[in-house]
Amino acid sequence: MVRPRSYEETVAAIQECAVPGRRGGIARGLGRAYGDAAQNAGGAVLDMTGLDQIHAIDAANGTVLCDAGISLHRLMEVLLPLGWFVPVTPGTRYVTVGGAIGADIHGKNHHVSGSFSRHVLALELLTADGEIRIVERGTELFDATAGGMGLTGVILTATVQLQAVETSLMSVDTERATDLDDLMARLTATDHRYRYSVAWIDLLARGATMGRSVLTRGDHAPLDALPARARRAPLAFRPGQLPSAPSFLPEGLLGRTTVGLFNELWYRKAPTSRVGEIQKLSTFFHPLDGVPHWNRIYGRSGFVQYQFVVGYGKEEALRRIVQRISDRRCPSFLAVLKRFGDADPGWLSFPMPGWTLALDIPANLPELGPFLDELDEEVAAADGRIYLAKDSRLRPELLSAMYPRLEDFRSLRARMDPNGVFRSDLSRRLRL
């Protein structure tokens, strides 16, 4: 592990990685990728969180120039009081800007705003030859880097276009959907009215209620929607925090019985329809950030995160996959369904127009590996894809069917990094 404190130290670290016989290096942010994207067995890992400065803010035009090691949390702390918000945020704000670009993260607003890299105007990239290049949007190197899982170089800085907001609160509508078809119909008919949209889905429900869901959608609350007390500090950002999860919980705590009970209570407590509820940003976007080490609730065996997307017109494939997960009785209490908008230009960027489902599954579930392999086949047959930032077990032979620009990516890598300076366990496993 190397933790550079300057660009010069980063260049020196990469030069060390390029020495013949070494197993290369890979940049790492805050470690929120679920798989092996920032692991490099036998080689170097560069912890980039020491480079976390904001260099310039254009408060008039809403842009920020910052180091790639800065977190979205820190950007929110600095930018919200100025009336600006990050353009895209995933389910945690504890990711770095470099990680956000490398994984080309998406959020609840992809159907409107696309993924994170769509809002990156330019970046500085340290490439395998030791050069620091200014990479602008619309170039091949930018498109290979956006979603490229850190394999084109080390991102040093980025200039990001921000989202203007009047307050740090959200106006949220919540409703229940009785089954999967009801959910998809509601999303298709009305998603265009909302900037942010997501549905929690009960994957243990079967029969007539298969896919029953709680649909949560909203937008940044305007100043005149706030109660009088909240208008005194409309841009205050004060995310709360609950006690940390215990360091050890018994295996099997999140079994079918307990998750089934949770899912039943979660669905029943949700309003049939509620409009205009004022919520904190942290409540709407990042509820799990309020519970440090929440992953411990899965016990020491941990969990597998599985996320796929299938295109519009492939709804039957989505139904079959949900049916299989439901029949398999996978105890997932964190399962969300969203709609994606237009694809972004990143060659390995995950989002494409269609339906994306993400779920957590306890890793000790019997025969989990073969079951997920079968789901991969279903996804590939439907011209869908698996999210590399959450993957730890995809077979490499399926990758080209999922990512049509894969050979372009490999070709650019071969030209720019012929000696394989940038490597990771993911790159070796998937032959990237």
Side-chain angles (χ1 to χ4, degrees):
M1 175 72 79
V2 182
R3 196 166 193 258
R5 297 284 186 173
S6 66
Y7 298 163
E8 292 77 13
E9 289 183 10
T10 309
V11 171
I14 292 303
Q15 288 172 340
E16 282 289 315
C17 294
V19 172
R22 301 288 174 90
R23 285 177 61 84
I26 193 72
R28 182 184 191 273
L30 283 165
R32 293 306 192 271
Y34 288 93
D36 48 4
Q39 298 177 14
N40 184 26
V45 174
L46 278 67
D47 178 350
M48 297 301 295
T49 56
L51 295 171
D52 61 352
Q53 299 301 304
I54 293 175
H55 297 288
I57 298 172
D58 183 339
N61 296 306
T63 62
V64 61
L65 169 61
C66 60
D67 284 338
I70 197 169
S71 69
L72 298 192
H73 173 82
R74 180 59 183 152
L75 286 182
M76 292 177 196
E77 287 183 323
V78 173
L79 297 171
L80 271 168
L82 303 177
W84 297 99
F85 188 61
V86 294
V88 172
T89 177
T92 174
R93 60 187 179 273
Y94 294 108
V95 298
T96 62
V97 167
I101 298 169
D104 202 14
I105 60 169
H106 58 272
K108 298 176 182 179
N109 59 339
H110 191 277
H111 64 294
V112 173
S113 303
S115 56
F116 192 88
S117 294
R118 185 181 298 185
H119 307 273
V120 176
L121 305 179
L123 55 88
E124 286 183 291
L125 185 72
L126 170 60
T127 51
D129 55 8
E131 296 294 319
I132 297 176
R133 303 168 187 257
I134 297 175
V135 184
E136 296 185 343
R137 188 167 56 181
T139 62
E140 277 196 341
L141 186 53
F142 186 97
D143 292 347
T145 301
M149 308 308 294
L151 296 171
T152 61
V154 179
I155 301 169
L156 297 175
T157 69
T159 302
V160 183
Q161 182 69 57
L162 305 168
Q163 169 68 41
V165 295
E166 292 184 21
T167 75
S168 61
L169 297 168
M170 303 295 295
S171 176
V172 182
D173 295 354
T174 305
E175 59 188 289
R176 291 193 306 209
T178 57
D179 58 33
L180 183 61
D181 286 336
D182 181 31
L183 171 63
M184 289 193 291
R186 290 171 187 254
L187 287 168
T188 301
T190 58
D191 242 13
H192 63 279
R193 302 176 188 170
Y194 298 91
R195 181 177 297 275
Y196 302 100
S197 175
V198 67
W200 168 88
I201 184 169
D202 183 0
L203 292 175
L204 285 176
R206 292 189 288 182
T209 63
M210 185 190 78
R212 66 179 182 176
S213 310
V214 178
L215 181 54
T216 307
R217 296 181 286 187
D219 206 336
H220 299 278
L223 185 61
D224 58 13
L226 302 191
R229 185 174 181 179
R231 293 185 197 180
R232 299 173 190 167
L235 291 167
F237 179 56
R238 303 187 188 97
Q241 194 169 78
L242 297 172
S244 176
S247 59
F248 172 76
L249 288 172
E251 294 290 337
L253 181 66
L254 292 184
R256 295 185 180 100
T257 301
T258 52
V259 172
L261 178 60
F262 170 86
N263 287 1
E264 183 69 29
L265 292 173
W266 191 260
Y267 181 77
R268 295 295 176 189
K269 85 175 187 64
T272 304
S273 180
R274 181 173 60 202
V275 176
E277 180 189 15
I278 301 299
Q279 292 184 3
K280 288 183 175 182
L281 282 169
S282 54
T283 301
F284 183 77
F285 288 112
H286 314 120
L288 288 176
D289 282 348
V291 186
H293 306 296
W294 61 267
N295 54 294
R296 292 174 177 171
I297 65 177
Y298 285 91
R300 288 179 175 167
S301 295
F303 66 94
V304 173
Q305 171 87 184
Y306 188 75
Q307 184 168 6
F308 68 90
V309 57
V310 293
Y312 296 124
K314 303 288 186 177
E315 286 76 12
E316 192 52 46
L318 176 62
R319 291 187 189 94
R320 283 197 307 270
I321 293 171
V322 171
Q323 179 79 62
R324 294 188 66 171
I325 295 170
S326 175
D327 290 344
R328 184 70 165 70
R329 310 294 289 154
C330 292
S332 176
F333 78 100
L334 290 175
V336 295
L337 184 74
K338 294 183 289 195
R339 294 174 75 249
F340 280 157
D342 292 340
D344 294 286
W347 292 347
L348 296 186
S349 183
F350 169 66
M352 55 182 267
W355 304 92
T356 181
L357 177 65
L359 60 148
D360 294 349
I361 311 173
N364 59 4
L365 198 68
E367 299 299 314
L368 178 60
F371 175 66
L372 293 180
D373 286 345
E374 293 172 4
L375 295 191
D376 292 343
E377 297 281 357
E378 288 254 20
V379 170
D383 299 319
R385 58 184 61 152
I386 300 297
Y387 191 16
L388 298 185
K390 294 185 177 181
D391 173 60
S392 59
R393 25 80 37 211
L394 180 67
R395 303 195 311 276
E397 57 267 25
L398 291 177
L399 200 62
S400 59
M402 296 179 174
Y403 288 91
R405 300 297 301 271
L406 177 62
E407 289 309 315
D408 293 330
F409 180 81
R410 286 172 170 160
S411 176
L412 181 139
R413 281 250 298 151
R415 295 196 312 269
M416 297 202 63
D417 187 7
N419 298 318
V421 173
F422 296 107
R423 302 184 224 172
S424 65
D425 290 353
L426 179 141
S427 74
R428 282 186 282 268
R429 175 170 58 85
L430 294 179
R431 302 168 195 160
L432 293 174

